[in-house]
Amino acid sequence: MSSTLNSVVVLTGAGISAESGLKTFRAAGGLWENHPVEEVATPEGFERNPQLVYEFYNQRRRQLLSDEVKPNPAHTTLAKFEHDFHGSFLLVTQNVDNLHERAGSQNLLHMHGELLKMRCLNSQLVFDTSEDFTFDTHCRCCRSAGNLRPHIVWFREMPFHMNKINQALESCDLFVAIGTSGNVYPASGFYQTAKIRKAYTVELNLENTGSGFDKRIYGKASKIVPQYFESLLV
Ligand code: APR
C-alpha cells in the first residue's frame, strides 16, 4: 500500500452491527431464517402481504431503538478515523440501522435504505419515523392511508447513491470492507472497482469470504477494526 493515504472508502455490512445485538442475514439463525427473503424483502412480497412486511420492519425498528442496541467499538473507530484522517473519507453501509450515525460518522451513505425512514409511494417523499407504521398510517404528504412503504432497498431494486459511490471508488487509495459476506451485488463488486484504479483493498471479517482482497484480517469487528484503523494513523 502506498505510504501516503489521500482517500479512503469503507463499506460495512451486517457483521459490523452483530456485536451490537443486531442479527446478520446469512449466519445460522440469521434474519432470513425466520422469513423467506421473497416474503419480506421484495416488491412482490410487499404486494402479496404488506402486513407481514410492515410487521417485519416494525419489529426490527423496535429492536434497533431498544436500550440494549448501541454502537460498538468498530462503529466508534470509524467515526474517530474520519475525524482524525487528513484526507477524504467516505463510509458506505449496506446496513439500515443508525449505529454509524450514533457513533458520530458524518460522510455516510446508506445504499440499502434506512429502518428509521418511510417513503410515500405517490410522492416518493421520505419521512423519519421511530414508530411502527402500517397500511393504515396516513402519510404527511397525501394525508391518506395506504401509501407508505419502508424506505428499504429490496431485492431487484436499485441501491441508492450509486453515482457518488462509484466516483469515490474510482479515486480512492484504500478500500476496506467490514462485516459483509460479499453475497449481494453491487456492493460485492466494489473492491474490484477500487482495484482497477490501483487502490489497496482490505477485508476485515469474521470469516474468509473467498474474495480477492489484497489483505484479509479475520476476527470480530469490535477487535480488528480498532486495531487496523489505529495502525493507519500511526
Ligand atoms: N465481526 C466481523 N464480521 C462478522 C461478525 C463480527 N462480529 N459477525 C458476522 N460477521 C460477518 C459474517 O462472517 C458475514 O461474512 O459478517 C458477514 C455478514 O454477512 P451477511 O449476513 O450476508 O450480511 P451482509 O453482507 O451485510 O448482507 C448484504 O444482503 O440481505 C441483503 O440487503 C441485505 O444489506 C444486506 C445485504
Side-chain angles (χ1 to χ4, degrees):
M1 178 169 68
S2 69
S3 55
T4 53
L5 268 184
N6 294 303
S7 167
V8 175
V9 175
V10 174
L11 169 71
T12 59
I16 199 170
S17 297
E19 292 162 88
S20 295
L22 296 179
K23 286 182 182 172
T24 62
F25 291 94
R26 293 172 181 85
L31 211 52
W32 301 129
E33 293 200 351
N34 305 336
H35 294 285
V37 68
E38 283 307 318
E39 273 183 20
V40 291
T42 63
E44 298 78 8
F46 182 62
E47 188 76 31
R48 211 170 24 249
N49 185 347
Q51 211 41 48
L52 171 71
V53 175
Y54 285 123
E55 190 40 40
F56 176 70
Y57 290 98
N58 287 339
Q59 272 178 21
R60 291 178 67 194
R61 189 176 307 106
R62 287 197 291 267
Q63 188 207 11
L64 174 59
L65 295 173
S66 64
D67 294 343
E68 303 76 58
V69 175
K70 45 174 106 38
N72 66 59
H75 296 104
T76 50
T77 294
L78 292 179
K80 183 176 181 316
F81 180 82
E82 176 182 5
H83 178 267
D84 298 346
F85 179 52
H86 69 281
S88 70
F89 179 88
L90 173 65
L91 174 53
V92 180
T93 187
Q94 299 172 92
N95 300 339
V96 294
D97 63 56
N98 66 341
L99 296 177
H100 284 306
E101 289 88 337
R102 286 165 59 186
S105 288
Q106 311 250 312
N107 198 13
L108 165 66
L109 295 176
H110 280 273
M111 64 179 289
H112 287 169
E114 298 175 65
L115 211 41
L116 298 182
K117 289 191 181 346
M118 56 188 175
R119 186 166 85 239
C120 171
L121 292 163
N122 293 335
S123 66
Q124 297 307 313
L125 286 177
V126 176
F127 302 101
D128 292 334
T129 181
S130 52
E131 307 294 326
D132 287 6
F133 68 96
T134 68
F135 186 80
D136 304 324
T137 306
H138 284 217
C139 58
R140 294 165 221 165
C141 43
C142 314
R143 298 191 185 289
S144 58
N147 308 322
L148 287 167
R149 65 163 274 179
H151 186 52
I152 300 285
V153 177
W154 288 328
F155 286 92
R156 294 185 288 282
E157 292 187 324
M158 190 63 189
F160 299 133
H161 312 299
M162 287 308 296
N163 290 340
K164 275 181 88 172
I165 294 169
N166 281 316
Q167 273 169 11
L169 290 170
E170 288 170 3
S171 58
C172 70
D173 312 307
L174 173 65
F175 173 76
V176 185
I178 304 171
T180 180
S181 61
N183 272 307
V184 174
Y185 188 79
S188 54
F190 286 175
Y191 82 96
Q192 284 144 332
T193 307
K195 262 185 118 146
I196 292 169
R197 302 288 167 163
K198 305 284 175 276
Y200 189 73
T201 57
V202 177
E203 179 179 58
L204 309 180
N205 204 53
L206 194 61
E207 61 202 8
N208 179 356
T209 62
S211 309
F213 286 82
D214 296 308
K215 181 186 185 74
R216 289 194 287 253
I217 302 172
Y218 301 127
K220 289 193 166 190
S222 63
K223 188 164 176 303
I224 62 176
V225 172
Q227 283 171 346
Y228 180 71
F229 280 87
E230 279 151 22
S231 73
L232 286 183
L233 286 174
V234 170

